[in-house]
C-alpha cells in the first residue's frame, strides 16, 4: 500500500529554515495526476494547507505561506520536501505530508496521509 512518511528536525530555532522531507513508497510522485501536499496542525487550531507540488513539478502555496515557502521534489528518491523560511514560534505544529488523488484543486481527496511529525520552533 502507498505510504508517506515525514522526517526532519523536531526542533527549529526562530529565523531558521524549517525543512522536512516526505518519503513515498509504492506510489510514484511522478504518477499522473497526483498532487503532493504539506498540511500542518497547530496546537489548538485546525488543519492548514501549506502548499503542494504536482506530478509535473508545478507548485501552489497557501496565501499565508507563499512568500516564504518552497516545496520541491527529488524524483529519483521519490521524495518531496518542505522548506519554510524564517520560522517563527507560530509555525510550531504537527506537519503532515499528504497525497491528493483528485483532479480538483477545490475538492481534494487526501489519501493517504503520513503519520505526521511534530516540529517545535523555539529557542
Amino acid at each position: 500500500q502507498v505510504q508517506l512518511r515525514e522526517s526532519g528536525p523536531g526542533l527549529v530555532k526562530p529565523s531558521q529554515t524549517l525543512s522536512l522531507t516526505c518519503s513515498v513508497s509504492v506510489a510514484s510522485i511522478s504518477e499522473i495526476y497526483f498532487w503532493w501536499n504539506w498540511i500542518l496542525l497547530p496546537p489548538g487550531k485546525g488543519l492548514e494547507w501549506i502548499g503542494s507540488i504536482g506530478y509535473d513539478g508545478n507548485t501552489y502555496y497557501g496565501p499565508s505561506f507563499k512568500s516564504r515557502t518552497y516545496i520541491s521534489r527529488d524524483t529519483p528518491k521519490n521524495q518531496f520536501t518542505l522548506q519554510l523560511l524564517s520560522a517563527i514560534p507560530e509555525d510550531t505544529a504537527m506537519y503532515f505530508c499528504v497525497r491528493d488523488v483528485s483532479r480538483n484543486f477545490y475538492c481534494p481527496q487526501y489519501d493517504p496521509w503520513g503519520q505526521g511529525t511534530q516540529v517545535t520552533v523555539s529557542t
Side-chain angles (χ1 to χ4, degrees):
Q1 61 181 6
V2 178
Q3 292 185 339
L4 283 69
R5 182 182 180 184
E6 305 88 349
S7 62
L11 180 63
V12 179
K13 294 182 178 180
S15 79
Q16 292 185 333
T17 297
L18 191 161
S19 299
L20 296 173
T21 297
C22 182
S23 300
V24 179
S25 62
V26 181
S28 170
I29 63 173
S30 299
E31 183 176 356
I32 57 174
Y33 294 91
F34 297 160
W35 283 73
W36 307 86
N37 300 260
W38 287 102
I39 297 173
L40 79 165
L41 179 61
K45 299 182 179 180
L47 295 169
E48 187 172 1
W49 180 72
I50 301 173
S52 62
I53 187 166
Y55 59 95
D56 56 1
N58 288 329
T59 56
Y60 292 95
Y61 302 101
S64 300
F65 299 96
K66 65 186 306 180
S67 64
R68 62 188 183 101
T69 302
Y70 295 94
I71 298 175
S72 59
R73 63 177 183 169
D74 187 335
T75 52
K77 294 182 178 180
N78 210 38
Q79 297 176 332
F80 64 103
T81 63
L82 170 69
Q83 292 182 294
L84 187 58
L85 280 61
S86 301
I88 58 177
E90 288 73 19
D91 293 328
T92 296
M94 285 286 294
Y95 285 78
F96 298 88
C97 56
V98 189
R99 182 178 68 168
D100 177 14
V101 300
S102 80
R103 301 183 183 185
N104 189 343
F105 174 83
Y106 302 99
C107 190
Q109 300 177 38
Y110 294 137
D111 180 25
W113 291 65
Q115 65 180 1
T117 186
Q118 174 67 39
V119 180
T120 299
V121 181
S122 179
T123 57

